[in-house]
Amino acid sequence: VQLQASGGGLVQAGSSLRLSCAASGRTISSYNIGWFRQTPGKEREFVTAISWSGGRTYYEDAVKGRFTVSRDNAQNTVYLQMDSLKPEDTAVYYCAAKIARGYWDYPSSNMYETWGQGTLVTVSS
């Protein structure tokens, strides 16, 4: 599978953005999907994850209540709705896929086999 993340941009604090992660090559329904973000000089950090069916979702504490992950397997796309954005949310956001079988340590970037190219989100104060 190949992943293409999009939807980033420059917004003001308090605004919303919706990121998309579109899959090609294979159906996204075969994969658990994670979103991670990275700022210069820092490790890539977990943001959220969604199981292959959408039945399970997980969030990093700092984004709980503000971010919502969802998926439309018919459209081969996973979404990240980001509301009440803060300047500290500024980062490059990546989506990543792990085949939906076996153990899934969802916050660990090492678990994911395929990564999208990243989309930049900049939140101004």
Side-chain angles (χ1 to χ4, degrees), residues 47-75:
V47 177
T48 182
I50 186 166
S51 63
W52 67 273
S53 67
R56 290 175 289 155
T57 57
Y58 308 95
Y59 296 92
E60 191 263 333
D61 285 347
V63 307
K64 280 181 182 176
R66 299 189 298 120
F67 290 12
T68 304
V69 63
S70 63
R71 64 191 300 155
D72 184 340
N73 287 341
Q75 295 295 321

Side-chain angles (χ1 to χ4, degrees), residues 28-33 49-56 71-73 78 98-101 104:
I28 206 170
S29 62
S30 298
Y31 296 87
N32 299 322
I33 299 295
I50 186 166
S51 63
W52 67 273
S53 67
R56 290 175 289 155
R71 64 191 300 155
D72 184 340
N73 287 341
V78 172
K98 186 210 176 295
I99 194 77
R101 60 174 175 263
W104 179 35

Side-chain angles (χ1 to χ4, degrees), residues 15-39:
S15 299
S16 299
L17 276 176
R18 188 176 79 159
L19 306 185
S20 298
C21 177
S24 60
R26 288 192 66 178
T27 176
I28 206 170
S29 62
S30 298
Y31 296 87
N32 299 322
I33 299 295
W35 285 95
F36 292 77
R37 63 187 180 186
Q38 189 171 24
T39 54

Side-chain angles (χ1 to χ4, degrees), residues 4 8 10 28 33 38 45 62 93 95-96 100-101 119 124:
Q4 176 86 22
L10 171 63
I28 206 170
I33 299 295
Q38 189 171 24
E45 66 174 7
Y93 283 72
C95 58
R101 60 174 175 263
T119 185
S124 64

Side-chain angles (χ1 to χ4, degrees), residues 72-102:
D72 184 340
N73 287 341
Q75 295 295 321
N76 239 20
T77 303
V78 172
Y79 302 100
L80 178 57
Q81 177 67 40
M82 305 187 296
D83 299 320
S84 302
L85 282 161
K86 303 176 180 180
E88 51 263 44
D89 295 319
T90 295
V92 177
Y93 283 72
Y94 299 88
C95 58
K98 186 210 176 295
I99 194 77
R101 60 174 175 263

